[in-house]
């Protein structure tokens, strides 16, 4: 699917096994000029097994403001960046998606460059950033961030792998990470978070394996129900013998810091 300077609603589709030479194996959206508007709604789709020859194996967004919500974005590949999603000079709202098993040279799950992004309530698992020849090669198994201002809230990142930043790699001083679980990601350099600049991202009320300085952060096994089989809900008393330390450990309205994709809260506030 390709659209320019338009704001369609793309919903309830399966977009699978497509290939392009450049970017956007599944979906490509951009704003043709500053006077035009491109604010598409992309929701409730399965975007899988697509290949972007350069960027955005699943979805490519350029100079647009898409709402990407409730999608399964899985098994896509971008030769350079953004295996699942690639955003450049955008203001996307990426919410409540499953982003899994995607691969790229950097930003295996997705890559945000020079963008003002809101990334919330997503499950980002088993994505891979592979070694290549570029300066950002092998960075950001789950997320790769370059400049811009990115707010990362209430996400779960687990099982992602890279050379730099198995969970998140930061080439920008501005990411704000809150109520997010980064656990069991892998990389020789910064398994959970890796920063390429001297500035430190703001990380609060998160569960980061190995620890991270910041208000409310913890370093405790989140006790997923069954991550081996893809269930990243948190264990709770009443259903299980133990309760996850992440339950009620977040801040604000989205208090639990976990990802629920079935509409069920982890615990009463």
């Amino acid at each position: 699917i390709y659209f320019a300077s338009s704001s369609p609603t793309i919903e309830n589709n399966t977009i699978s096994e497509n290939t392009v030479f450049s970017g956007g194996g599944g979906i490509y959206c951009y704003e043709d000029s500053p006077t035009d508007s491109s604010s598409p709604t992309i929701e409730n789709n399965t975007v899988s097994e697509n290949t972007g020859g350069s960027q955005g194996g699943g979805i490519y967004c350029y100079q647009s403001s898409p709402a990407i919500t409730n999608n399964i974005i899985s098994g896509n590949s971008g030769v350079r960046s953004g295996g699942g999603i690639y955003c450049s000079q955008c203001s996307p709202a990426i919410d409540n998606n499953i982003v899994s098993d995607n691969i790229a040279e950097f930003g295996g799950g997705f890559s945000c460059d020079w963008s003002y992004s809101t990334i919330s309530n997503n499950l980002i698992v088993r994505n891979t950033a592979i070694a290549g020849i570029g300066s950002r090669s092998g960075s950001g198994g789950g997320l790769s961030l370059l400049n811009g201002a990115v707010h990362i809230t209430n996400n779960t990142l687990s099982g992602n792998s890279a050379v730099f930043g198995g969970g998140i790699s930061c080439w920008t001083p501005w990411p704000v990470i809150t109520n997010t679980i980064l656990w069991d990601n892998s990389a020789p350099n910064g398994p959970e978070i890796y920063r390429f600049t001297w500035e430190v991202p703001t990380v609060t009320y998160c569960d980061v394996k190995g620890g991270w300085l910041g208000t409310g952060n913890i370093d405790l096994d989140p006790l997923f129900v069954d991550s081996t089989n893809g269930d990243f809900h948190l264990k709770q008393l009443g259903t299980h013998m133990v309760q996850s330390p992440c339950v009620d450990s977040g801040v604000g309205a989205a208090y639990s810091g976990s990802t629920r994709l079935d509409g069920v809260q982890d615990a009463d506030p």
Side-chain angles (χ1 to χ4, degrees), residues 71-224:
N71 302 282
I72 297 173
I73 302 167
S74 179
N76 303 285
S77 61
V79 173
R80 284 299 309 283
S81 60
I85 303 171
Y86 178 77
C87 298
S88 177
Q89 301 178 49
C90 286
S91 300
I94 302 171
D95 181 68
N96 213 45
N97 304 280
I98 299 175
V99 182
S100 67
D101 301 293
N102 303 286
I103 187 170
E105 187 174 317
F106 57 92
F110 47 97
S111 179
C112 291
D113 295 355
W114 303 94
S115 293
Y116 295 84
S117 311
T118 300
I119 300 170
S120 56
N121 304 304
N122 300 284
L123 178 62
I124 304 166
V125 295
R126 300 187 305 273
N127 302 285
T128 305
I130 58 174
I133 60 174
S135 59
R136 297 167 63 192
S137 171
S139 65
L143 302 175
S144 175
L145 310 175
L146 172 66
N147 295 322
V150 183
H151 291 266
I152 299 168
T153 306
N154 274 73
N155 301 278
T156 294
L157 293 94
S158 184
N160 303 288
S161 61
V163 180
F164 302 93
I168 300 173
S169 70
C170 304
W171 285 68
T172 168
W174 301 302
V176 177
I177 306 171
T178 309
N179 288 6
T180 288
I181 297 171
L182 291 123
W183 198 265
D184 278 344
N185 300 288
S186 62
N189 306 282
E192 308 303 333
I193 304 172
Y194 186 85
R195 55 190 178 92
F196 286 88
T197 58
W198 64 268
E199 291 100 341
V200 179
T202 301
V203 182
T204 58
Y205 295 95
C206 292
D207 186 8
V208 183
K209 188 173 184 177
W212 195 273
L213 291 177
T215 302
N217 291 332
I218 59 175
D219 175 15
L220 296 169
D221 188 334
L223 299 179
F224 299 126

